[in-house]
Amino acid sequence: MIKLAIIGTGGIGKTHAQAIQQLDSCELVALVNHRETSMQAFGEEFGVSRQYATINDLLTDGNVDGVIICTPNFLHASQAIATLKANVHVLVEKPMAMSASDAQTILSAHEESSAVLQVAHCWRFDEEVQYVRDQITSGVIGDIIRTKGYSTHVNWGPSGWFTQKDLAGGGALADMGIHAIDTVRFLLNDPVPKSVYANIGTHFGDYDVDDTGIIIINWTNGISSTVEFGWWQPHSDGIAANTQFYGTDGFSQLFPTQIRSLNKETRQIESLETGYPDIRDPHVPLSIYVNQIAHFIECIQTNQSPIADGQVGFVNMQIVSAAYESSRTRQVVTIS
């Protein structure tokens, strides 16, 4: 039985705790939060008596195999590094860090550690995402030419630390856009980014982070991807992680999941039966978090690299950092 601790007892921490309850391979044994009152309430809800003010207190006490870092973004790097140095396994919430350079410091710590490092890019563990990935990989819509993805909150946006640059690093791009970025990377078998152009702004709130943006990513394999993201938008053409793929022999889409493929004999585009509904309820099911933690546990037990490892998280942060630079300079930014 793998013993886990949750660092940060907010909303996403509760989601991870609920997911752990669905698994027989692990148990939640400890919590970390500097706010004692909220941590106590969390502990009562999930039956966790071991509670610590800091991650160093937890690591000093020991008797834990892995941690799930669910704190504000500015804490991700320092907490992940401290945990990796203790050779304790790490599942860190997205975004991996505040910037690509911070993500690189985590990778450097991981190189010196025997622990597993996984980034919580949850859509990789969704059944429909994996189905579409298999279809695209099989060539059913031919060679991919371009993609378009969305990750937008319509008529809603977060508050608190999410809207503070010194705590979050960025706004809607770091919170929502990174979901669309990682989803398209996963579906395209993790291509390497070549360049990024972005137009990012703040239009709907009084805060020092972004709430609106569009990114164009050119990959080294010749494919181009457009990503739209935001908070408080009056409309979005797609729900969170909706991604469209335009191929030489057809079209594929996530949410609603569709496959339209060229019939080589009739030369007509035909729709394939996917078996998935047009509308999911809920759109973000607990199952993707259960699958994500189950994969983390499997990687710990077998000493394998996760499908969303530190390098995946770092490349995503390279794109995010390049997008902010591109928007600031109004220039295309090359990623080396």
Side-chain angles (χ1 to χ4, degrees), residues 132 136 141 143-150 180-181 183-189 191 214-219 221-228 242-247 251-254:
V132 171
I136 290 172
I141 64 170
D143 296 329
I144 306 300
I145 301 168
R146 64 183 177 94
T147 77
K148 183 187 291 185
Y150 306 90
I181 291 168
T183 300
V184 72
R185 284 197 68 220
F186 179 62
L187 287 162
L188 294 177
N189 290 310
I214 184 169
I215 303 173
I216 300 173
I217 307 166
N218 292 312
W219 310 100
N221 60 10
I223 300 172
S224 293
S225 294
T226 302
V227 171
E228 298 180 19
N242 166 271
T243 313
Q244 301 167 358
F245 297 84
Y246 298 80
F251 170 83
S252 178
Q253 176 176 277
L254 267 173

Side-chain angles (χ1 to χ4, degrees), residues 231-260:
W231 299 332
W232 298 107
Q233 303 297 293
H235 171 78
S236 175
D237 287 337
I239 56 180
N242 166 271
T243 313
Q244 301 167 358
F245 297 84
Y246 298 80
T248 54
D249 293 331
F251 170 83
S252 178
Q253 176 176 277
L254 267 173
F255 312 137
T257 296
Q258 302 174 8
I259 305 288
R260 300 205 293 271

Side-chain angles (χ1 to χ4, degrees), residues 258-270:
Q258 302 174 8
I259 305 288
R260 300 205 293 271
S261 180
L262 176 69
N263 185 312
K264 299 297 179 63
E265 294 182 358
T266 65
R267 307 303 300 175
Q268 299 295 314
I269 296 291
E270 299 177 352

Side-chain angles (χ1 to χ4, degrees), residues 122-132 239-242 254-257 275-289 291:
C122 60
W123 288 105
R124 291 179 178 239
F125 302 94
D126 182 90
E127 179 183 327
E128 289 186 53
V129 173
Q130 293 174 346
Y131 167 80
V132 171
I239 56 180
N242 166 271
L254 267 173
F255 312 137
T257 296
Y276 293 109
D278 287 344
I279 299 176
R280 306 201 316 180
D281 186 21
H283 175 59
V284 186
L286 182 63
S287 61
I288 65 177
Y289 294 95
N291 295 341

Side-chain angles (χ1 to χ4, degrees), residues 116 118 294-307:
V116 169
Q118 180 175 326
H295 180 69
F296 180 51
I297 300 305
E298 181 183 3
C299 291
I300 291 171
Q301 294 172 332
T302 61
N303 194 33
Q304 64 177 312
S305 182
I307 62 173

Side-chain angles (χ1 to χ4, degrees), residues 21-67:
Q21 289 179 326
Q22 304 297 311
L23 294 166
D24 296 328
S25 56
C26 59
E27 60 178 333
L28 179 58
V29 300
L31 305 172
V32 176
N33 196 322
H34 71 287
R35 291 191 175 94
E36 185 176 353
T37 301
S38 62
M39 181 167 56
Q40 287 178 344
F42 192 107
E44 291 175 2
E45 181 176 353
F46 293 100
V48 184
S49 59
R50 289 178 58 191
Q51 300 176 14
Y52 304 87
T54 71
I55 195 166
N56 289 331
D57 292 338
L58 167 70
L59 296 174
T60 299
D61 200 16
N63 197 26
V64 64
D65 301 307
V67 306

Side-chain angles (χ1 to χ4, degrees), residues 4 77 87 94 107 230 232 237 248 263 273 296 301 308 316 327:
L4 298 176
N87 290 316
K94 61 79 193 168
L107 282 184
W232 298 107
D237 287 337
T248 54
N263 185 312
E273 179 57 54
F296 180 51
Q301 294 172 332
N316 289 341
S327 185

